[in-house]
Amino acid sequence: MKKFNPNKNIIITLIIVIIIVTVLSITMARRAVDQKASFAQVVVNDTVATVDKVLYTPVRWFEDGVGSIQDLFVTYQENERLKGRIDNYDEVVQQNESQKREIANLKEELDLNETLTNYEKKAANVISRSPDSWQDIMIVDQGSNQGISDNMAVMAKNGLIGRVLEVNANSSKVELLTSDNQTSNHFPVRITTEDGDAFGLLKGYDRRQQALVVEELTGETGIKKDDTVQTSGLGGNSPSDLNVGKVIEAEPDDFGLDRKVYVQPAADVNDVSVVTIIERTVGED
């Protein structure tokens, strides 16, 4: 076996370098004279271009791939930031809607209070209302320390909604007119008609018609749709002239011995955040 001779390879390499340098020198000299590249120079240039393309194409692909991945990360981060802004925007919109409803409720309560000039009254916030007893009970943030006592009438928005059922030191339980409790929360009412006043007792709530029910009417006064219903003040358990609602219809009771009047409530108890508690009539001891 022949031994590897490094000196021989060095000599061959030097000869190749000298040949290449000589060729390039001659080519450059001729180009300076002819202003035209020689065949050898063309071959060398094309070879160098091809080698550059082969070597650097994968590098460029890699760089482009890295750039694309970086763009993806930037895009993802931007999307997350925008999502956060959208979530914040939705939260702000909800807060604005809640504030609008609260302001509307306060305006309605203010309008109501302006009509109750003959009564001493106290505003209260609804602080608790259970879904299980939504139509029956609500808790407000005024109690005995604020001068509240049992059986005081409670109003909201445009009309009467119930009566104070139970009083604690700083809160009270309000029984609504829409309650199923048939043994309490009865208000004496007056129905104003074209033929005069009819008096009766507010005794319940009809869920099918979503209407208050007045029974035990006195007299034979004709009652028509849209006649006004207010508290009468009879019996001394509630002030008079508090707005209750409008008549929807009147019909005989189940036994045909009395009339039953269905009343559209003036106040919607499903959306109440502020109430007005009627403490007493002005001038009452």
Side-chain angles (χ1 to χ4, degrees):
M1 179 180 292
K2 294 182 180 180
K3 294 183 179 180
F4 178 72
N5 189 350
N7 293 331
K8 182 178 180 181
N9 289 335
I10 293 173
I11 293 171
I12 293 173
T13 302
L14 290 174
I15 292 172
I16 292 173
V17 171
I18 292 171
I19 293 172
I20 292 173
V21 172
T22 303
V23 170
L24 290 176
S25 300
I26 295 171
T27 300
M28 293 177 63
R30 287 184 177 179
R31 185 172 181 182
V33 176
D34 299 337
Q35 297 297 320
K36 185 178 180 181
S38 65
F39 174 76
Q41 186 177 5
V42 171
V43 172
V44 172
N45 290 341
D46 290 342
T47 301
V48 172
T50 302
V51 171
D52 178 74
K53 183 176 181 180
V54 171
L55 293 178
Y56 285 98
T57 295
V59 175
R60 283 192 289 270
W61 286 349
F62 178 76
E63 291 177 347
D64 292 341
V66 171
S68 298
I69 293 173
Q70 290 176 342
D71 291 340
L72 282 176
F73 276 112
V74 171
T75 302
Y76 173 78
Q77 293 172 353
E78 183 68 15
N79 286 339
E80 290 299 311
R81 186 175 62 85
L82 292 175
K83 286 179 181 179
R85 286 189 176 182
I86 291 174
D87 291 341
N88 290 336
Y89 175 77
D90 291 340
E91 182 178 351
V92 170
V93 170
Q94 292 174 359
Q95 289 176 351
N96 287 339
E97 291 299 323
S98 297
Q99 290 173 354
K100 286 180 181 179
R101 287 195 297 270
E102 183 176 353
I103 290 172
N105 289 336
L106 290 173
K107 285 182 177 180
E108 290 179 343
E109 205 64 23
L110 179 61
D111 292 339
L112 171 64
N113 286 333
E114 288 178 350
T115 65
L116 300 175
T117 55
N118 295 327
Y119 305 99
E120 292 187 3
K121 50 196 177 294
K122 187 175 292 294
N125 295 306
V126 177
I127 57 176
S128 177
R129 196 171 181 184
S130 171
D132 297 334
S133 58
W134 189 263
Q135 298 293 329
D136 300 328
I137 299 293
M138 64 171 58
I139 309 297
V140 299
D141 64 352
Q142 299 289 315
S144 58
N145 289 342
Q146 291 77 36
I148 307 302
S149 59
D150 292 346
N151 292 322
M152 285 184 173
V154 180
M155 302 189 72
K157 298 184 178 180
N158 298 316
L160 185 71
I161 64 168
R163 189 197 304 271
V164 175
L165 179 66
E166 180 182 309
V167 180
N168 300 309
N170 294 295
S171 66
S172 298
K173 182 183 294 185
V174 176
E175 184 178 40
L176 302 175
L177 298 180
T178 54
S179 171
D180 288 330
N181 188 352
Q182 298 294 321
T183 62
S184 65
N185 207 14
H186 296 171
F187 281 87
V189 296
R190 179 182 67 250
I191 303 176
T192 302
T193 72
E194 293 180 353
D195 301 326
D197 293 339
F199 295 89
L201 190 64
L202 191 61
K203 295 191 68 174
Y205 181 74
D206 188 299
R207 295 189 184 278
R208 181 177 60 84
Q209 296 198 44
Q210 297 184 350
L212 303 171
V213 181
V214 177
E215 299 183 65
E216 300 183 15
L217 289 161
T218 61
E220 299 295 329
T221 305
I223 298 174
K224 298 179 181 179
K225 182 179 179 181
D226 293 333
D227 284 344
T228 300
V229 182
Q230 297 174 297
T231 56
S232 66
L234 299 176
N237 290 329
S238 63
S240 62
D241 302 328
L242 301 179
N243 187 26
V244 176
K246 298 284 187 181
V247 172
I248 299 176
E249 64 174 332
E251 63 178 26
D253 66 7
D254 296 336
F255 303 100
L257 302 176
D258 192 8
R259 287 177 295 174
K260 183 182 294 186
V261 177
Y262 294 93
V263 179
Q264 176 66 48
D268 180 10
V269 298
N270 292 315
D271 183 22
V272 176
S273 59
V274 182
V275 301
T276 297
I277 300 175
I278 307 300
E279 295 187 80
R280 61 179 181 174
T281 305
V282 173
E284 180 183 346
D285 294 333

